[in-house]
Amino acid sequence: FLWVIVASSSTPSVAMKFHWWVFSPVVFPWTGQAQQAGTVTPEESPSIVIQKCTIAEGCKDKDMGLVLDANWRWIHNVGGYQNCFTQEGWNPEFCPDPEKCKENCALEGVTAAGYINNYGVHQVYEGDKVTGVKLDFMTEGGNVGSRLYVTKKNGKKYKMFKLLNREFTLDVDVKTLNCGMNGAVYFIEMDKKGGEGKTNKAGAKFGTGYCDAQCPHEKFETNASWGICCVEMDIWEANKYATAYTPHPCSTVGPVRCEGDIDCGYGDNGERWKGLCDKDGCDLNTYRMGAHNFYGPGPDFEVDSERPLTLVTQFLTDDGTDEGTLSEIRRLYVQDGKVIANAPSMIPGVTGSAITDDFCNAQKLAFSDYDHHQEKGGLASMGETLKRGMVLSVSIWDDYATHMAWLDASFPPGEDPDHRFGVLRGPCNATTSDPTIVRAENPHGYVKYYNIKYGEIGSTFSGSRRLEPIHT
């Protein structure tokens, strides 16, 4: 469940808006949002080393990059320095309509110093090697949050991770992320060039082409009935009080433009569960599943979120081969050299500690949630996307829409957790997680993602208790 980030900064950002107008649904492949590449400021995106691992040869360094999402960038008139977007909205001189806006406005680069000072993006070093990234929640200049994508070394294309029958591992540090905050690591089926082409001169180098299962709007699109949908696999959505991982299958291949409340899943009359994507997904939040003492701050929890930890996500197939069908998404933790299995469900009628179709079906029934996950093909559909390849995104954000209650408090609002399983998702109180409060109380918050690895099952981590994959 990933809401589009609302950022506050000197550069524009586009938040998801919900309008309940009715349009005739039209769906067609997305070919890239039209926009120009700026020439005022050079793009100096940070590098990062990610390791690719095999059982036979161990882990080997791969040089890659990180690029800031287009929504955070300065956008100005082509050949000039006037803002195309301000606090009042789009400048009518350059943007009388979306098409003119696309022609008249350019996305600008970000210098190495700008990444650090303006957006709070810091490289994490181990010796002289860049092994990760630290994302500040806020900067002195007023920016809030950030979202970046992993690119190939030259920065011209996004790295496409193919993870079926593979595992993905990284270290995280979330000790400063309090209620209402979210450090998110996830995969989306974006175009590898960021939509670069005849009408988009910016492309992946400037962080264009975002899509996810919430079907967010394009940067220049003023029509609230249009969105861009794609499959999403949430690896890690967390603060120090709650965490979840969630597959969001869609009836799409690559990014697809939707139009209208039905196909985009906008609206408040059940349209959410009629769209191209499973917006709710099948989440595994151990707190929501009744294991309230498993993950949290301090030594009383089995996984102590106030200390660095390693998380492993395994995408297991039914026959243990690359050609098999995705049958299980398993989460393991490593802390203090010990491998910790995910906590089993404590909810009546729901068994297991990993995401399987049986787990998802039982959870939807127990929680009285609409089962859009199975309608969109369940794990088999997600596995096909993992096989095709997905882009890795890392971010930090807060949430005006729900105050992050869907992750760490009671949600939906007004539901009594004593009378419906699944409402209680964490120990936080959403009334005190309004971003105005969160930002005032957490100006120095940050998240670290480092030691990122991917490869064959069992190749990316070690510990005193190795758990072998189970193929069902």
Side-chain angles (χ1 to χ4, degrees):
F1 193 139
L2 180 67
W3 297 100
V4 173
I5 302 166
V6 178
S8 173
S9 69
S10 57
T11 56
S13 64
V14 179
M16 179 175 288
K17 300 178 176 66
F18 298 90
H19 298 277
W20 315 132
W21 309 327
V22 177
F23 297 85
S24 298
V26 178
V27 181
F28 45 91
W30 176 84
T31 56
Q33 53 197 45
Q35 53 203 57
Q36 308 303 312
T39 59
V40 175
T41 306
E43 174 61 26
E44 297 174 344
S45 54
S47 63
I48 187 171
V49 172
I50 293 178
Q51 293 190 316
K52 184 177 182 179
C53 306
T54 64
I55 295 291
E57 299 182 2
C59 297
K60 296 184 178 181
D61 292 348
K62 300 292 181 181
D63 293 327
M64 301 185 193
L66 289 167
V67 64
L68 183 71
D69 179 277
N71 285 313
W72 271 260
R73 294 171 178 269
W74 177 36
I75 178 171
H76 61 88
N77 64 311
V78 175
Y81 301 91
Q82 297 184 60
N83 291 332
C84 285
F85 190 91
T86 67
Q87 294 296 328
E88 287 71 42
W90 293 104
N91 186 328
E93 179 181 353
F94 308 118
C95 297
D97 58 63
E99 293 307 315
K100 286 294 183 182
C101 192
K102 297 167 185 177
E103 294 175 7
N104 295 335
C105 298
L107 285 171
E108 203 50 70
V110 179
T111 64
Y115 268 92
I116 297 170
N117 299 324
N118 297 341
Y119 299 104
V121 177
H122 309 264
Q123 292 172 307
V124 173
Y125 285 85
E126 181 179 326
D128 59 357
K129 183 168 69 175
V130 180
T131 59
V133 64
K134 171 178 173 282
L135 305 180
D136 292 338
F137 179 54
M138 300 177 67
T139 66
E140 292 185 2
N143 181 73
V144 178
S146 59
R147 182 171 64 212
L148 299 98
Y149 311 117
V150 173
T151 67
K152 291 191 171 183
K153 184 178 180 180
N154 62 14
K156 294 181 180 180
K157 294 180 181 179
Y158 298 127
K159 164 66 180 175
M160 303 301 289
F161 290 84
K162 299 181 179 182
L163 294 176
L164 184 64
N165 196 35
R166 299 291 187 271
E167 66 187 26
F168 178 80
T169 296
L170 76 159
D171 293 351
V172 297
D173 182 346
V174 296
K175 64 176 175 289
T176 69
L177 297 189
N178 287 305
C179 293
M181 304 169 76
N182 188 339
V185 178
Y186 58 106
F187 290 95
I188 50 268
E189 196 180 12
M190 294 167 63
D191 176 71
K192 65 182 179 181
K193 292 184 178 181
E196 182 180 1
K198 183 177 180 180
T199 58
N200 179 350
K201 304 301 182 183
K205 180 180 178 180
F206 292 85
T208 67
Y210 184 71
C211 61
D212 64 30
Q214 304 304 319
C215 303
H217 302 299
E218 294 183 73
K219 184 172 182 64
F220 291 99
E221 187 52 65
T222 58
N223 188 333
S225 70
W226 284 14
I228 302 296
C229 309
C230 69
V231 179
E232 174 184 342
M233 177 65 226
D234 298 327
I235 297 292
W236 177 254
E237 294 195 272
N239 52 44
K240 66 182 180 180
Y241 295 101
T243 180
Y245 71 106
T246 310
H248 295 268
C250 303
S251 54
T252 60
V253 175
V256 171
R257 174 180 283 172
C258 64
E259 180 178 347
D261 286 355
I262 298 298
D263 284 299
C264 294
Y266 306 154
D268 57 358
N269 294 307
E271 293 91 344
R272 178 179 181 84
W273 301 286
K274 298 176 182 178
L276 297 176
C277 291
D278 173 20
K279 295 192 172 190
D280 291 352
C282 175
D283 67 299
L284 206 168
N285 173 335
T286 51
Y287 197 102
R288 191 183 188 206
M289 300 311 298
H292 295 176
N293 296 319
F294 178 71
Y295 173 91
D300 292 337
F301 293 89
E302 191 166 357
V303 176
D304 183 356
S305 61
E306 289 193 322
R307 296 188 295 114
L309 59 97
T310 300
L311 53 119
V312 182
T313 309
Q314 297 178 326
F315 299 96
L316 308 175
T317 59
D318 57 351
D319 61 3
T321 73
D322 295 356
E323 303 305 317
T325 299
L326 181 67
S327 60
E328 179 180 345
I329 307 175
R330 179 183 294 179
R331 166 57 47 79
L332 305 172
Y333 296 91
V334 184
Q335 196 166 49
D336 296 329
K338 296 180 180 180
V339 179
I340 305 169
N342 208 33
S345 168
M346 306 293 287
I347 301 298
V350 187
T351 59
S353 59
I355 294 174
T356 65
D357 280 331
D358 287 345
F359 171 89
C360 295
N361 297 342
Q363 184 206 62
K364 297 293 183 182
L365 183 63
F367 292 168
S368 300
D369 288 340
Y370 188 87
D371 193 353
H372 207 198
H373 184 261
Q374 222 23 263
E375 286 187 8
K376 291 302 173 184
L379 290 195
S381 176
M382 177 57 67
E384 290 301 311
T385 309
L386 291 167
K387 190 174 182 179
R388 290 193 297 266
M390 305 181 78
V391 176
L392 175 60
S393 172
V394 296
S395 67
I396 183 171
W397 59 293
D398 57 13
D399 178 11
Y400 270 105
T402 75
H403 299 178
M404 217 65 75
W406 59 268
L407 174 67
D408 62 20
S410 291
F411 188 85
E415 292 271 5
D416 186 347
D418 292 331
H419 291 87
R420 179 182 172 186
F421 288 124
V423 171
L424 189 62
R425 298 152 187 258
C428 299
N429 183 342
T431 60
T432 58
S433 292
D434 184 292
T436 57
I437 299 174
V438 171
R439 296 175 187 186
E441 295 182 349
N442 299 277
H444 303 298
Y446 65 86
V447 64
K448 288 183 182 179
Y449 308 119
Y450 55 108
N451 294 335
I452 302 173
K453 305 174 184 179
Y454 68 102
E456 296 175 351
I457 300 296
S459 68
T460 67
F461 71 102
S462 62
S464 58
R465 185 164 66 99
R466 173 65 61 84
L467 299 180
E468 298 301 330
I470 299 173
H471 305 297
T472 58

